[in-house]
Amino acid sequence: HTRCLSDWSSDVCSSDLYVGGLVADVDATNFSDINVSGDVIGSHNFIGIAIGRSDEGNVARATAAGTASAGRINVANASDNQAPNAWSSRYGDGFLGGFVGYFNRGGFENVSSSADIYGYAISQDGGNKTVYFHHNGSVAGLVEESAVRNIFATGDVTGGSATGGAIGAMGYDGEMANGSSTGTVRAFTNNSWKLNFVGGFSGSLLGEASVMN
């Protein structure tokens, strides 16, 4: 599948697992020549101004502007102010990105983002605690097994571990060439949880991921 769009602008607030202003969850879909802007708020994982999660697709020539944030969450044990495994707790790994929350097994090139990322949420129970999510970036939250080229970020990013100015984490055989990040990166921890993997461009390189230029 191929989608070619010129401009898209809107605001989205959703409690779905995948949240994207353009599309929430896609497989084997190519996007090119896309300009997206708006504010996207989710309360689970995989949040992006354009795409929540993309698997085996390609993105070429795209821009993103606006904000992506986790908003408010409702979890029974938020009073502990900790972030255990996201799959069981509904918070922890957030995967928040200015363009895409989670990008896997594809090509990602010529993408710029001025989006600001707020990788934290205020719990609705347990005393309104602040919970910081992992994997946050102005362009993408987490990129795995993908070739990434020409990525430029100017947005500010706030989150927990694995937070980077452009990409929260590059994982498992990912390749990155030619990119820059000029925004401000702020990272915090949830009480006893260690704060790891914070960087001006990428918070973490996992497996055999590599970065050049």
Side-chain angles (χ1 to χ4, degrees):
H1 304 285
T2 299
R3 299 187 183 200
C4 298
L5 302 175
S6 56
D7 295 283
W8 173 89
S9 178
S10 184
D11 296 331
V12 175
C13 182
S14 175
S15 61
D16 293 339
L17 177 59
Y18 305 108
V19 181
L22 182 64
V23 61
D25 183 28
V26 292
D27 293 313
T29 301
N30 300 326
F31 295 85
S32 63
D33 301 300
I34 297 175
N35 302 306
V36 297
S37 63
D39 299 323
V40 176
I41 302 174
S43 59
H44 285 265
N45 313 92
F46 309 104
I47 303 168
I49 293 177
I51 306 168
R53 187 196 74 97
S54 174
D55 190 29
E56 297 185 339
N58 298 292
V59 173
R61 300 179 302 280
T63 66
T67 64
S69 61
R72 296 178 68 86
I73 59 175
N74 184 13
V75 289
N77 61 344
S79 59
D80 294 336
N81 200 20
Q82 295 181 346
N85 189 301
W87 308 111
S88 62
S89 70
R90 294 177 53 187
Y91 67 108
D93 283 324
F95 307 114
L96 278 77
F99 189 84
V100 59
Y102 175 67
F103 190 83
N104 187 42
R105 292 180 292 185
F108 198 72
E109 62 180 24
N110 299 319
V111 178
S112 62
S113 173
S114 61
D116 295 326
I117 307 302
Y118 301 97
Y120 59 89
I122 307 300
S123 65
Q124 294 176 311
D125 54 2
N128 287 325
K129 299 288 186 177
T130 301
V131 178
Y132 293 98
F133 288 73
H134 304 167
H135 297 98
N136 311 280
S138 182
V139 174
L142 175 62
V143 177
E144 293 187 308
E145 298 184 55
S146 300
V148 179
R149 304 285 186 271
N150 304 322
I151 302 299
F152 306 100
T154 58
D156 297 332
V157 183
T158 302
S161 294
T163 291
I167 299 173
M170 284 283 296
Y172 305 110
D173 300 320
E175 297 180 359
M176 169 66 207
N178 193 25
S180 68
S181 174
T182 59
T184 300
V185 177
R186 301 179 181 89
F188 303 89
T189 186
N190 299 290
N191 279 355
S192 61
W193 275 71
K194 295 187 295 183
L195 180 62
N196 296 322
F197 316 125
V198 180
F201 184 82
S202 178
S204 174
L205 298 179
L206 303 172
E208 298 181 2
S210 62
V211 175
M212 298 180 291
N213 302 324

